Amino acid sequence: MRRYLRVVVLCLACGFCSLLYAFSQLAVSLEEGAGGGGGKPQAAAASWLGGGGRGAARGAGSAGPAAHPGRSDRCKDFSLCYWNPYWMLPSDVCGMNCFWEAAFRYSVKAQPVERMHLAVVACGERLEETVTMLKSALIFSIKPLQVHIFAEDQLHDSFKGILDNWSFLQTFNYSLYPITFPSENAAEWKKLFKPCASQRLFLPLILKDVDSLLYVDTDILFLRPIDDIWSLLKKFNSTQIAAMAPEHEEPRIGWYNRFARHPYYGKTGVNSGVMLMNMTRMRRKYFKNDMTAVRLRWGDILMPLLKKYKLNITWGDQDLLNIVFFHNPESLFVFPCQWNYRPDHCIYGSNCREAEEEGIFILHGNRGVYHDDKQPAFRAVYEALRNPFTTHHALCQPRCPLG
C-alpha cells in the first residue's frame, strides 16, 4: 500500500512541475509577443502586489514607475530571474518571483487610487482641536487624504507651520481657504450660531471640482479609518445626496421633538457635526421647500430659508439642514450613532445601542468635554491623541525614522 502511495505522490509532484513549466513557457511567449512595450503600468501593479501589506497600500497613491526606476523592466532579463524562487533573486531585485510577475503583467491592470476629501472649518481658539482631529484621521486612514481647511486669516500661518512638518506623509495633502460667505449677506451668515459655523453650507458651491466630501466639526476624533465612513457613499441610493446621524436616539431626551419651533428631519432631527456629502448631486438637485411651489437649487434655497426661520432657529446651520431634509427626506442617508458619538449618548445612561455592540467609530466632543472634567473618558481620548509624543510615534511607524 505504501508503494502505491509513493507512486501517486510522485506522479502528483511531476504533474505539478509540468504545469509550472507550461505556465512559465506561456509567460515567456507573452513577454516576447508584447515586445516589452506598453506594459509598464501593469508591471508596477504587479510589483505592488508583491510588496503587499498596509505600508504598500498607503504609498500606492504616489508610487509608480517614476518612483522606482527600472522596476517595471526587471523581468525582461530572464537569465537573471527565470523561474527562481523569490528568496534566490539578487539583492537589487525586489518583489515577487519574476515568473509570477510576468504573468500578472497581463492579468492585472493598475487601478487609480481613490482620494478621500475631508473638510473642516476653524475659527477662534480651534487650532489645537483641528490639528488633533487631523492626527486621528491620518493615524487610522489608509487611502490618500485631501484635507480642505477653512480658517480665519490669522490662523493660516499656524496651520502651515504645523502641517508642513507632516510632508513625509505621502498620502496627505491639505489646502487652506479663507472664510467666505456671499458678499450681500456675509455679516448675517458669519454671526449665525457660532463664528464661521455656517461656512459648511457653502462647501458645495466653493469646492466645485470636488465630487464627494466628508465634513466634520473641529471637535471630532476618528477612532477607525475614514475609509470606512467614506465607503458609505456606495450605499447611497439614486436619490440620496448626504448622510448624517440622528440628533438623539431616545425621544424622551431629544431636543428637536421637545423644543424646536421649525420643521426637522425624522423623529429627533439630525446632527451635522459629521456630514458625508455627494456634492455633485447636491449641486444638481432641485429642492422642495415651503417658501415657493418652485423647487430651488442649493445655492438659491439657503438665504430664503434663513430669512424665513432666523427668529425660530437655535442651532444655526444645523437647523437649516434639518429644515431642508424635512422637505426632502428621500435625499438623506441616516447612519448609526456610533459614527457621531456624543456626550448626549451617555449623560443620561447609555442610549447608543450600535456603539455598545460594535464600538464607537467617531467621537464627537461637543459641550466642550475635551477641556473639562465632566466626561473623563472623552477627555482621556483627546489628550492621548493631542500628546505630541504619542501621535509622532503613531504617524511615523513604520513610515519615517523617529528624531
Side-chain angles (χ1 to χ4, degrees), residues 54-263:
R54 181 185 174 104
R58 291 191 66 92
S62 58
H68 306 281
R71 179 175 293 186
S72 60
D73 294 327
R74 61 187 172 89
C75 283
K76 292 181 179 178
D77 187 357
F78 281 93
S79 63
L80 175 69
C81 57
Y82 177 75
W83 185 205
N84 280 327
Y86 71 90
W87 59 83
M88 296 175 60
L89 297 178
S91 59
D92 60 339
V93 178
C94 56
M96 61 201 304
N97 183 307
C98 279
F99 154 67
W100 292 113
E101 190 155 358
F104 270 124
R105 182 172 301 184
Y106 298 93
S107 60
V108 177
K109 294 185 178 180
Q111 298 294 331
V113 177
E114 180 184 16
R115 183 173 294 274
M116 303 177 294
H117 290 263
L118 175 69
V120 64
V121 179
C123 288
E125 304 297 323
R126 298 287 183 164
L127 174 67
E128 182 186 88
E129 274 190 0
T130 306
V131 171
T132 304
M133 178 275 292
L134 293 175
K135 288 178 181 178
S136 72
L138 292 170
I139 286 172
F140 294 109
S141 296
I142 301 171
K143 293 178 183 175
L145 184 63
Q146 174 68 45
V147 179
H148 305 271
I149 303 171
F150 291 80
E152 292 176 311
D153 294 341
Q154 61 266 30
L155 294 178
H156 281 215
D157 288 341
S158 298
F159 273 115
K160 290 177 181 177
I162 296 171
L163 300 184
D164 285 349
N165 290 327
W166 299 359
S167 58
F168 62 86
L169 297 169
Q170 298 180 356
T171 57
F172 167 70
N173 287 292
Y174 76 93
S175 300
L176 276 169
Y177 306 84
I179 300 296
T180 54
F181 296 107
S183 56
E184 62 271 18
N185 308 107
E188 195 164 5
W189 284 114
K190 188 165 186 178
K191 66 182 181 181
L192 182 65
F193 185 42
K194 293 181 180 179
C196 310
S198 57
Q199 179 73 82
R200 82 183 87 182
L201 296 175
F202 300 95
L203 297 181
L205 308 178
I206 298 172
L207 303 175
K208 296 181 179 180
D209 295 328
V210 177
D211 175 66
S212 297
L213 181 79
L214 175 64
Y215 167 84
V216 296
D217 287 346
T218 60
D219 51 7
I220 289 295
L221 293 175
F222 293 94
L223 303 183
R224 65 185 298 131
I226 292 183
D227 309 62
D228 294 338
I229 189 170
W230 191 260
S231 68
L232 297 181
L233 286 165
K234 298 179 181 178
K235 296 186 178 182
F236 283 18
N237 63 29
S238 60
T239 66
Q240 290 167 336
I241 64 172
M244 288 181 277
E247 173 69 15
H248 286 283
E249 302 299 311
E250 175 51 65
R252 290 176 295 177
I253 60 173
W255 193 92
Y256 282 107
N257 56 296
R258 292 190 297 160
F259 306 116
R261 296 178 294 157
H262 58 79

